[in-house]
């Protein structure tokens, strides 16, 4: 049942011209349980909002608005490149921002409030897949109408206040004097309550593949100046730039509303559609983050045609870090599912011909015969194979056998199609056709074989960033998938984009990613897009968007190794927007054993890898290691075999980002529970309270735990497997090593 | 029968290192009739060619080569922006060009010749459509292999010498050290024999819609500085830049090989495929033109993957201007037809709902109700029509009736599909879907009605330059055309392109145009692309490319009026590369009569308009004026009714570019001849020798001629129609007025 009630509607006549302030009280809205209060005001013609948690300020008064191309007042638009040099103690001042109330610049100032409406919404909805069966969507809305008399036009700002956070967005109604405009920069502010702790990765137009830093806001600049990770894929824009979702811990005097004087915040965006991806740039004197959109080819930040809305800007607020995990505000702010029949969308657990290439043991390519490849002209049939090709029919059959034996749903194969010999770094347009297999990959045979074994094949479309080429081939490629019954595709966007100068997270590209997802839905295809823009809850609307990468995944364990605590951050940051195809399950830490030229080391224990199947929620979970490596540890592998990808309910048991996270989940439609505890640098004892189990029954817990001497570096494969009878009263204490973890399967006692 | 004979093959060992010159004679090749001789040499490591006509130098020694991105020698690559300031008296000197023989820069220098081969080719081929039934392709080829020892790589330069000109191109073979490269600039030179007369339009990355200037080379700069025609569609790059095809007249002492001491040259390119369109930039001290390619988004001039070839650079040479008209070198240098079954490709004469919009009498759009249009969301069904919409079912039926009555093959309708209300100037991406008609355009009814009348409908796809959107819709749009049996599409690329920064003639866009043509061929659709790159003979390979605009067309007569002699230039310039959809046939000169807000005037006489159906060859010919205007002059209109679009043979009777042109053509498979004489500013008497008629028979000539007092401005509709008995001995003398002309139909006497 959906309630959508107009509670209160006030239209203020703009009697006071451009000047408002003391003639009426500020607008406010409270969350359903009254824990959060958001305020809105127009001050000197500029929209301002702030946010309180039970009296504690979590967002100080912060300006809203957008600078538009061609709408600067004379010399009065300050480029944000200079912003971090302007010391500020609260609201950025008018002189700092270069705006006076006498001249109107873009959609930044000269506003009067002409309307303020209130709505209440409270209902539940059922996701096609997700962490739980039903999601509660309850908010109070405040819809502000702002008129710019000097331009004879208006916009709206829509605030939705949930108990777990604030969402707001700009609405640009269609009207005579506001039809088409170009965003120079969105200037949304998030004025944080002081020099708080942030968990962040650098702002970047092209990649999110970074490790997280925990630091004070005031330390961000120096850290970024010191640790420049520039490579072919990175495009940073400021040493105080960060990406969303970005997590914050507020502690101390400023927090009176919680016992431990701690609050958790997370800033992200929801429903990124036909708009540029938002980064945040910090003024590290005033601790104000300002939105910084990804530029288009010509440096502008997005083309808008009214009617239009911006994505939602989201400030999540939690009294504990577990509250951040439990929040569904990002999903709730997205539109309901647009796919009518979703019966074909099915979570999958899969293996694949992938890790052997990532580790450098095999190649995506087939031959060294050609200086370069011309799709459609290069004749592979006469080429001499170099013998390192991974995607051979024979090898794929081995994976199909393995998948069938252990009950995996699918097999991914990368490097199956021609073109990989020079796929990267050449600004090459026609790099793949997405339908022509290598001579040693027999698509018919593999299709028939997989089908006979009850296994689905997962398609792979690397685009190499050649966007026009991919769109030209998209229908043909999807039709090919339909013909050979591939239910899902992993797509990739490695390298610089064509058209040149385009960025991975620009409006143009975001439009492309969604185009692929929408078209895929027509073909009943699920999409798992790597190197695409980070998710913003669009999987609610398009649940065939079954996964994304958009963070540093397991592959980095073969590229030098990830930080042991990397996965303790992901649930609080990257996963806020949607599931990640993290590809866990590496049992053999020593990549040198796979590839003599590599000295990479997987910086986790084996039990840590097991825990990720529970702590990193995804409807798409890979068992990424080689079958041989699993068969060496079949007892531990059993957990991966058992762990499902469909769930009824989550239980967030322990959470300290950067340190550890412990989550339990109930398997969908089954009396079985799975627990994962993922640990960071410091050995600790996980405290696992099983009170989530139904009372009055006994259960068998199979516990996969780090051995006492386990360590991610020196002894990662030391684990114990024990079984224990447990009840809802049981409180387990389990050792988790440095870079370690534990995993538990719980089923009713027979 | 095709002859392709290896006559001579010489491989020179690079014994002399980087220095060659006096140790052997220069390479040369002569045309089949020996009238032209081309020379090639490597001087100080740089490739040089020159061209003689019977001993007269037509191209002085000129450098060849390409500057590559990232391959500049230290400070030694001069940007061509400075070139026009370097006075030069022959070959550009090493110091001027900044190249020394000691350092290797791109593919410019450091070459030694290691091979020189000769081939002879002589055959005939049959075009699907064209000015004649069979085309003679006879040339002598010289294939030069050039090695760059310092880079351990090689290229080839392929010279084909015809009796009517020289074609040469760069060949970039696939090899270890030359796989991918980016062109910084092609530096092909055309050193002209002095300050000769040029017939030119300004170089421009985005439009060819200019009027021609006849001037000395030395005058180009001052004229361009004076007459800047900058508007939204123009992108000039240099005041000495010109476009190809560019015509030259060489006169005086330098020409000893012809009686009147005159030679005609024309520089163009052939087979522009996956390469940037070439402009020419003049050094007006040395009279050397250098190639200037259209830049890509990032300013580079093209991405090459070997194997690759450049387009052919073509220097046409004629002893008379008629020889330029008769030359088929551009078609001959293109690849043979790639479409197997061409039975569906048929020349068409057509009318259309077009001129009424161009003249401002009606609109492409339907309503003024919406501030802007969202395709797929804007609900036209409830919109109030503004009453000016041209593409209504009723109006279209009127054109179908007219076409059927007078035997036209097709009816073009512009403004039939939704989106025209804000189609232009908004950097709008999703501007059309190409399949949704306006509420008052009933595509089913129109299809059935046209079919019942034996008339074909011609589709219109305006893209507004939104390239990605058009490619996304292309299959759907073509399928829609197949469903409703549209055999041809007029496509348009008005305005700035998306992706922003892309140019109409860049490699990326040239790739797009050909993509549309190739895909159209799969759907058996003919393409007539407006605002696309100018043709380079690709219609030989893809004869479904039935037309292009790529020059100032008739529409300019409603945009202020064209120069009265504009059409006397087109056959010698624009039409060299392929047919133009010029859309002649305007009978009502006073646009004010159609649109009270216009004061435009069509600067030609009515007979001039008739002549264009013969002088401007095209397989697609429109009768562009309103049916009402034709019915006011039915006797003159009879010529347009009678004139065909398929021919057996042309006869070039008189030619003085900028002044007049007189052409006769034999109708295909019929004993009927049509003559057109198009005149420029000065009244004159056309001398029409009918000796092309078979001897010994009498013919009836119907002569449409300007009245004695006709004048394009004061009395354009004054004409006489007379019939006369003629034979092959007849020599007609016909008055043609200022901006006038005459047209004749000749059939055997009954």
């Amino acid at each position: 049942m959906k309630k959508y009630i107009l509670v209160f509607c006030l239209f203020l006549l703009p009697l006071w011209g451009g000047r408002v302030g003391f003639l009426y009280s500020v607008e406010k809205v409270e969350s359903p349980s009254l824990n959060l209060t958001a305020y809105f005001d127009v001050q000197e013609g500029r929209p301002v909002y702030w946010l309180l948690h039970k009296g504690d300020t979590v967002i100080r008064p912060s300006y809203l608005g957008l600078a538009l191309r061609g709408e600067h007042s004379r010399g009065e638009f300050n480029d944000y490149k200079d912003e971090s040099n302007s010391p500020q103690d609260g609201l950025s001042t008018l002189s700092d921002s270069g705006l006076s109330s006498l001249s109107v610049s873009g959609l930044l100032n000269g506003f009067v409030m002409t309307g303020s409406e209130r709505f209440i919404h409270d209902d539940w909805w059922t996701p096609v897949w997700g962490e739980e069966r039903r999601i509660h969507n309850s908010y109070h809305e405040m819809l502000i109408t702002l008129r710019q008399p000097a331009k004879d036009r208006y916009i709206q700002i829509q605030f939705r206040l949930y108990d777990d956070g604030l969402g707001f967005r700009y609405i640009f109604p269609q009207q005579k004097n506001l039809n088409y405009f170009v965003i120079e920069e969105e200037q949304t502010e998030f004025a944080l309550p002081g020099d708080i702790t942030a968990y962040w990765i650098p702002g970047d137009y092209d990649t999110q593949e970074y490790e997280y830093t925990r630091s004070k806001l005031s330390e961000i600049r120096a850290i970024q100046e010191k640790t420049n990770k520039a490579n072919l894929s990175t495009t940073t824009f400021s040493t105080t730039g960060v990406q969303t979702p970005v997590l914050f811990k507020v502690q101390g005097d400023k927090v009176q509303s919680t016992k431990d004087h701690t609050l958790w915040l997370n800033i992200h965006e929801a429903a990124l559609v036909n708009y540029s991806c938002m980064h945040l740039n910090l003024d590290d004197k005033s601790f104000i983050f300002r939105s910084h959109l990804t530029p288009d080819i010509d440096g502008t930040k997005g083309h808008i045609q009214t009617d239009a809305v911006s994505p939602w800007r989201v400030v999540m607020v939690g009294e504990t870090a577990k509250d951040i995990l439990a929040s569904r505000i990002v999903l709730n702010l997205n539109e309901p599912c647009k796919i009518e029949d979703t019966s074909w969308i099915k979570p999958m657990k899969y293996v694949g011909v992938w890790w052997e290439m990532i580790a450098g043991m095999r190649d995506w390519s087939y031959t060294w015969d050609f200086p370069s490849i011309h799709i459609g002209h290069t004749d592979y049939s006469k080429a001499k194979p170099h013998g390192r090709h991974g995607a051979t029919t024979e090898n794929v059959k081995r994976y199909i056998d393995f998948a069938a034996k252990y009950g995996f749903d699918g097999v991914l194969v990368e490097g199956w199609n021609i073109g990989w010999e020079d796929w990267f770094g050449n600004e090459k347009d026609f790099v793949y056709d997405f339908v022509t297999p290598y001579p040693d990959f027999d698509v018919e045979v593999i299709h028939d074989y997989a089908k006979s074994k009850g296994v689905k094949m997962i398609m792979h479309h690397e685009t190499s960033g050649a966007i026009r080429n991919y769109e030209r081939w998209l229908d043909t490629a999807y039709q090919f998938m339909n013909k050979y019954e591939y239910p899902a595709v992993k797509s990739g966007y490695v390298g610089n984009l064509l058209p040149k100068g385009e960025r991975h997270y620009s409006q143009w590209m975001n439009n492309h990613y969604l185009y692929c997802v929408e078209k895929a839905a027509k073909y009943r295809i699920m999409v798992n897009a790597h190197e695409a823009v980070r998710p913003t809850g669009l999987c609610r609307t398009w649940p065939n968007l079954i996964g994304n990468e958009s963070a540093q995944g397991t592959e980095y364990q073969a590229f030098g190794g990830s930080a042991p605590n990397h996965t303790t951050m992901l649930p609080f940051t990257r996963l806020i927007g949607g599931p990640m195809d993290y590809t866990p399950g590496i049992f053999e830490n020593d990549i040198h054993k796979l590839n003599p030229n590599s000295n990479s080391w997987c910086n986790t224990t084996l039990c840590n890898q097991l825990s990720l199947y529970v702590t990193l929620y995804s409807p798409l979970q890979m068992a990424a290691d080689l079958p041989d490596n699993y068969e060496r540890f079949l007892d531990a592998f059993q957990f991966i075999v058992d762990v499902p990808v469909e769930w009824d309910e989550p239980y967030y048991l322990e959470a300290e980002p950067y340190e550890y996270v412990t989550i339990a989940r109930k398997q969908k439609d089954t009396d079985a529970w799975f627990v994962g505890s993922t640990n960071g640098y410091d050995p600790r004892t996980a405290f696992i309270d099983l009170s989530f189990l139904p009372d009055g029954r006994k259960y068998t817990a199979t516990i996969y735990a780090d051995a006492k001497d386990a360590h991610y570096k020196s002894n990662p494969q030391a684990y114990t497997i024990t079984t224990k009878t447990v009840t809802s009263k049981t409180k387990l204490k389990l050792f988790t090593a440095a870079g370690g973890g534990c995993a538990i399967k719980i089923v009713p006692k027979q």
Side-chain angles (χ1 to χ4, degrees), chain A:
Chain A
M1 188 195 65
K2 190 180 171 186
K3 296 190 212 152
Y4 202 84
I5 306 164
L6 176 60
V7 174
F8 177 75
C9 179
L10 164 69
F11 274 90
L12 299 164
L13 293 171
L15 289 175
W16 306 280
R19 175 138 191 98
V20 288
F22 299 104
L23 297 180
Y24 60 92
S25 60
V26 297
E27 298 296 315
K28 79 168 187 178
V29 63
E30 290 175 313
S31 69
S33 77
L34 309 181
N35 64 322
L36 291 176
T37 313
Y39 295 88
F40 177 81
D41 194 11
V42 178
Q43 298 181 0
E44 302 276 343
R46 300 185 70 185
V48 176
Y49 80 102
W50 59 98
L51 179 65
L52 269 60
H53 177 269
K54 297 180 182 169
D56 289 332
T57 296
V58 292
I59 300 289
R60 291 174 293 142
S62 302
Y63 284 127
L64 299 169
L66 299 100
L68 306 189
R69 186 179 69 181
E71 290 203 17
H72 308 158
S73 299
R74 276 164 296 153
E76 289 172 341
F77 173 68
N78 279 353
D79 193 314
Y80 265 140
K81 284 165 191 158
D82 302 321
E83 72 190 356
S84 51
N85 298 321
S86 58
Q88 290 177 340
D89 201 33
L91 266 186
S92 48
T93 65
L94 291 182
S95 60
D96 283 334
S97 70
L99 297 171
S100 89
S101 57
L102 298 173
S103 62
V104 173
S105 182
L107 293 169
L108 288 169
N109 65 342
F111 285 108
V112 291
M113 185 166 62
T114 57
S116 172
E117 296 165 86
R118 298 292 185 284
F119 305 90
I120 290 177
H121 182 98
D122 190 325
D123 68 359
W124 292 78
W125 58 278
T126 304
V128 174
W129 46 259
E131 296 189 60
E132 57 266 284
R133 299 188 75 100
R134 295 175 73 220
I135 292 176
H136 190 199
N137 189 11
S138 171
Y139 60 82
H140 290 177
E141 178 171 324
M142 169 169 71
L143 179 64
I144 302 291
T145 301
L146 293 169
R147 189 167 165 70
Q148 250 180 340
K151 299 274 189 179
D152 190 16
R153 65 188 182 189
Y154 74 105
I155 63 170
Q156 295 180 304
I157 305 180
Q158 187 175 23
F159 294 88
R160 286 188 179 167
L161 201 55
Y162 294 76
D163 287 334
D164 51 347
L166 169 67
F168 62 88
R169 66 177 174 181
Y170 301 93
I171 298 178
F172 309 108
Q174 194 180 47
Q175 56 197 289
K176 186 164 152 279
N177 293 327
L178 193 65
N179 272 299
Y180 291 93
F181 61 89
V182 178
I183 299 172
E184 186 95 26
E185 186 60 278
E186 183 184 317
Q187 301 196 5
T188 299
E189 293 186 344
F190 303 89
L192 294 175
D195 190 12
I196 59 178
T197 301
Y199 304 73
W200 55 273
I201 57 174
D204 194 308
Y205 298 151
D206 284 299
T207 185
Q208 303 104 348
E209 298 182 9
Y210 288 96
E211 286 178 355
Y212 287 87
T213 300
R214 178 174 63 181
S215 78
K216 293 284 176 197
L217 291 177
S218 57
E219 297 165 339
I220 291 176
R221 182 193 301 272
I223 292 168
Q224 287 208 38
E225 281 171 357
K226 212 171 88 185
T227 59
N228 187 1
K229 184 211 167 192
N231 63 36
L232 253 178
S233 303
T234 63
T235 316
T236 54
F237 56 86
S238 160
T239 50
T240 54
V242 303
Q243 301 202 36
T244 76
V246 55
L247 182 74
F248 304 102
K249 189 178 191 177
V250 194
Q251 273 180 306
D253 290 352
K254 285 179 178 161
V255 183
Q256 300 298 326
S257 59
T258 64
K259 276 183 195 167
D260 61 351
H261 299 283
T262 301
L263 276 176
W264 293 86
L265 311 180
N266 190 311
I267 300 179
H268 191 36
E269 65 184 311
L272 173 54
V273 177
N274 199 18
Y275 201 90
S276 164
C277 168
M278 180 180 73
H279 303 270
L280 297 175
N281 201 8
L282 178 69
D283 179 335
D284 52 3
K285 300 292 189 299
S286 64
F287 309 117
I288 297 174
F289 271 111
R290 288 195 191 85
S291 51
H292 177 105
L293 302 181
T294 308
D296 208 342
I297 280 183
D298 69 352
T300 61
K301 301 294 184 90
H303 284 64
I304 306 295
Q305 179 189 353
T306 62
D307 284 330
V309 293
S310 75
W312 294 93
R313 278 64 186 94
V314 185
V315 181
M316 299 165 62
V317 183
E319 299 195 357
T320 68
K322 289 188 267 184
D323 292 340
I324 300 295
L325 299 177
S327 171
R328 298 293 175 263
I329 185 172
V330 169
L331 288 175
N332 277 328
L333 286 167
N334 274 270
E335 296 295 312
C337 180
K338 289 195 177 177
I339 302 171
E340 219 157 294
D341 172 13
T342 58
S343 60
W344 50 276
I345 300 173
K346 290 185 200 306
M348 294 179 85
K349 199 163 58 177
Y350 72 102
V351 293
V353 181
W354 177 73
W355 188 245
E356 32 196 308
M357 280 91 85
I358 292 290
M361 183 182 154
R362 301 236 192 189
D363 281 353
W364 285 269
S365 69
Y366 171 80
T367 179
W368 292 322
D369 271 10
F370 308 114
S372 72
I373 303 301
H374 288 272
I375 303 294
H377 297 287
T378 300
D379 183 3
Y380 279 97
S381 70
K382 291 169 189 154
K384 185 184 161 208
H386 54 41
R388 292 177 49 83
H389 187 218
T392 66
T393 302
E394 190 191 353
N395 199 29
V396 172
K397 277 186 174 176
R398 205 165 59 87
Y399 277 85
I400 293 170
D401 289 340
F402 183 80
K405 183 170 178 186
Y406 295 107
F408 287 87
D409 305 295
V411 175
L412 165 76
V413 184
E414 295 198 3
W416 68 276
N417 58 324
I418 61 169
W420 285 90
E421 285 73 14
D422 60 351
W423 70 287
F424 179 64
N426 296 310
E427 297 179 3
K428 183 178 180 178
D429 192 4
F430 189 11
V431 63
Y432 296 112
D433 69 5
F434 308 97
V435 293
T436 307
Y438 278 121
D440 57 353
F441 182 92
D442 190 324
V443 68
E444 294 268 7
V445 166
I446 286 165
H447 164 262
D448 295 348
Y449 191 76
K451 195 164 188 175
S452 76
K453 297 270 185 170
V455 171
K456 301 277 187 192
M457 297 305 298
I458 299 178
M459 176 50 72
H460 184 235
H461 290 166
E462 174 55 49
T463 67
S464 292
I467 303 310
R468 179 170 70 173
N469 184 55
Y470 189 42
E471 291 201 4
R472 284 179 174 183
W473 283 95
L474 202 50
D475 277 290
T476 306
Y478 284 162
Q479 283 155 12
F480 182 90
M481 286 179 61
N482 281 172
K483 180 178 174 190
Y484 293 108
E485 300 184 273
Y486 287 75
V489 60
K490 173 181 176 181
S491 57
Y493 295 89
V494 170
N496 292 333
L497 301 173
L498 293 177
K500 287 181 284 179
E502 204 51 75
R503 299 297 177 191
H504 279 73
Y505 311 145
S506 66
Q507 181 187 29
W508 175 274
M509 284 303 299
N510 297 339
N511 179 315
H512 164 80
Y513 303 128
L514 198 53
Y515 175 77
C516 295
V517 171
E518 292 190 31
K519 190 182 277 287
K522 286 183 191 149
Y523 287 99
R524 299 187 151 223
I525 285 169
M526 297 184 281
V527 174
N528 164 27
H530 284 226
E531 296 92 23
V533 71
R534 75 280 188 284
T536 57
L538 284 172
C539 58
R540 178 181 178 189
T541 313
W542 298 101
N544 66 317
L545 177 57
I546 202 90
N548 276 113
E549 186 180 39
S550 308
Q552 181 167 319
T554 294
E555 61 184 10
Y556 279 77
Q557 300 282 18
F559 300 164
S562 292
N565 71 333
H566 181 58
T567 48
T568 71
M569 280 308 309
L570 293 174
F572 305 95
T573 52
R574 163 62 183 79
L575 300 192
I576 293 297
M580 177 174 178
D581 182 30
Y582 182 75
T583 68
I586 301 306
F587 278 15
E588 178 49 64
N589 298 65
D590 187 359
I591 310 304
H592 186 75
K593 288 188 182 164
L594 283 65
N595 170 14
N597 298 319
S598 173
N599 290 310
S600 246
W601 187 268
C602 173
N603 290 321
T604 76
T605 70
L606 192 149
C607 283
N608 174 292
Q609 291 291 317
L610 297 183
S611 74
L612 302 178
Y613 290 88
V614 184
T615 55
L616 303 182
Y617 166 72
S618 175
L620 199 66
Q621 288 285 23
M622 188 177 199
D625 210 339
L626 311 186
D628 294 353
N629 289 334
Y630 289 133
E631 282 170 345
R632 288 164 54 206
F633 303 97
L634 274 180
D635 56 353
F637 182 59
Q638 188 61 42
F639 182 81
I640 300 179
V641 171
D642 292 342
V643 71
V645 284
E646 297 192 83
W647 307 101
D648 275 344
E649 207 179 342
Y651 314 94
Y652 304 106
L653 305 182
E654 298 186 304
E656 183 61 41
Y658 212 76
E659 305 289 346
Y660 56 84
V661 58
T662 307
I663 299 173
R665 301 185 189 279
K666 180 175 177 299
Q667 182 172 4
K668 193 172 185 182
D669 299 332
T670 311
D671 279 340
W673 288 259
F674 292 79
V675 184
S677 182
T678 304
N679 191 32
Y681 283 97
D682 300 324
R684 70 181 286 273
T685 298
F687 181 79
I688 300 170
D689 181 343
L690 300 186
S691 60
F692 57 80
L693 292 172
D695 289 335
R697 194 162 174 190
K698 287 182 176 172
Y699 302 87
T700 303
T702 310
I703 300 168
Y704 303 75
D706 288 329
K708 289 295 169 200
D709 57 350
H711 185 279
Y712 70 87
K713 197 80 189 174
S714 57
N715 198 18
Q717 292 163 340
Y719 59 87
T720 64
I721 303 175
T722 52
T723 58
K724 190 169 177 175
T725 299
V726 297
T727 70
S728 62
K729 305 275 187 285
T730 307
K731 290 164 183 31
L732 296 171
K733 290 182 178 180
L734 296 175
F735 170 74
T736 57
C742 63
I744 312 173
K745 177 191 176 189
I746 303 173
V747 291
K749 212 170 164 70
Q750 298 302 321

